[in-house]
Amino acid sequence: YIKSLIKKNNFKIIHTNTVTDRTQGAAAAKLSGAKHVTSCHSLLSVRRNLTHYIRNKIMTNAFIADGNRIRNLLIEKDKIDPGKIFIINNGVVPDEMKRNDEQRKLIRERYGINGDDIVIGCAARMVYFKGHRYLLNAMAMLAEKYKNIKLMLTGDGELFNELMEYS
């Protein structure tokens, strides 16, 4: 079905992002003559079995890493050709991240955060490879030394309840 959809719409590039769609998308792209590009932004290997090895070696034209650490993982652990890896760093546009004192005050009031509290935020899908437990453990160590430090997590995912209990 995916192959016929690609051909019917004359798609030239198929972009994928996760393990399941990465393999299916790569196969469909290869069979239909399109290029396959995949994004990699977690510290998990993209090669866990022979199917993945073949997909990465033969069916994927380019890998987009979100930084040097992911690029190095792809090269060293997954044996991806460095010439197939391109980096697009995650980031924000500074002009769009201007401080809004009114919004800051409202959020702090809503969540009982004092004006001198240090707040660290994390917005992410709550799945194990995002490493929330590392963050929670680090925050526990920091909280022993700095009594005015707070962590705000936002997101959802399979580990949501477990992480809320753990914290």
Side-chain angles (χ1 to χ4, degrees), residues 42-49 52-53 56 68-81 85 128:
S42 74
L43 291 172
L44 288 180
S45 171
V46 296
R47 184 184 88 182
R48 296 186 204 132
N49 56 44
H52 293 168
Y53 174 79
N56 296 342
N68 282 318
R69 189 161 183 196
I70 302 301
R71 180 182 187 276
N72 293 340
L73 172 95
L74 291 169
I75 294 167
E76 295 164 12
K77 187 170 184 182
D78 295 326
K79 309 299 181 208
I80 305 294
D81 173 2
I85 303 170
Y128 103 94

Side-chain angles (χ1 to χ4, degrees), residues 3-154:
K3 175 186 161 190
S4 63
L5 189 65
I6 294 168
K7 284 191 167 283
K8 177 183 174 188
N9 291 286
N10 199 28
F11 294 138
K12 302 293 184 205
I13 299 172
I14 305 303
H15 174 262
T16 59
N17 191 51
T18 66
V19 174
T20 304
D21 70 343
R22 191 175 285 134
T23 302
Q24 294 170 353
K30 187 72 170 175
L31 292 171
S32 64
K35 301 289 184 190
H36 176 242
V37 177
T38 189
S39 295
C40 304
H41 44 80
S42 74
L43 291 172
L44 288 180
S45 171
V46 296
R47 184 184 88 182
R48 296 186 204 132
N49 56 44
L50 181 59
T51 302
H52 293 168
Y53 174 79
I54 293 167
R55 175 200 64 207
N56 296 342
K57 202 81 165 154
I58 298 170
M59 295 188 281
T60 301
N61 302 91
F63 295 81
I64 299 171
D66 67 1
N68 282 318
R69 189 161 183 196
I70 302 301
R71 180 182 187 276
N72 293 340
L73 172 95
L74 291 169
I75 294 167
E76 295 164 12
K77 187 170 184 182
D78 295 326
K79 309 299 181 208
I80 305 294
D81 173 2
K84 291 171 69 171
I85 303 170
F86 302 87
I87 295 175
I88 299 176
N89 290 300
N90 287 335
V92 295
V93 179
D95 288 342
E96 293 177 10
M97 298 302 293
K98 299 273 187 208
R99 181 175 170 145
N100 181 323
D101 288 327
E102 187 177 311
Q103 185 71 17
R104 180 179 188 269
K105 183 180 177 197
L106 288 171
I107 295 293
R108 284 178 173 261
E109 285 175 2
R110 181 184 305 157
Y111 294 103
I113 300 168
N114 296 322
D116 64 341
D117 285 343
I118 299 167
V119 180
I120 296 173
C122 176
R125 188 166 38 111
M126 294 181 184
V127 292
Y128 103 94
F129 60 82
K130 294 286 186 176
H132 287 90
R133 279 189 180 254
Y134 296 114
L135 176 59
L136 292 172
N137 290 338
M139 285 301 297
M141 288 187 273
L142 287 169
E144 289 176 12
K145 186 173 181 180
Y146 304 99
K147 300 301 177 198
N148 66 331
I149 195 163
K150 308 282 188 218
L151 174 64
M152 291 187 77
L153 296 176
T154 185

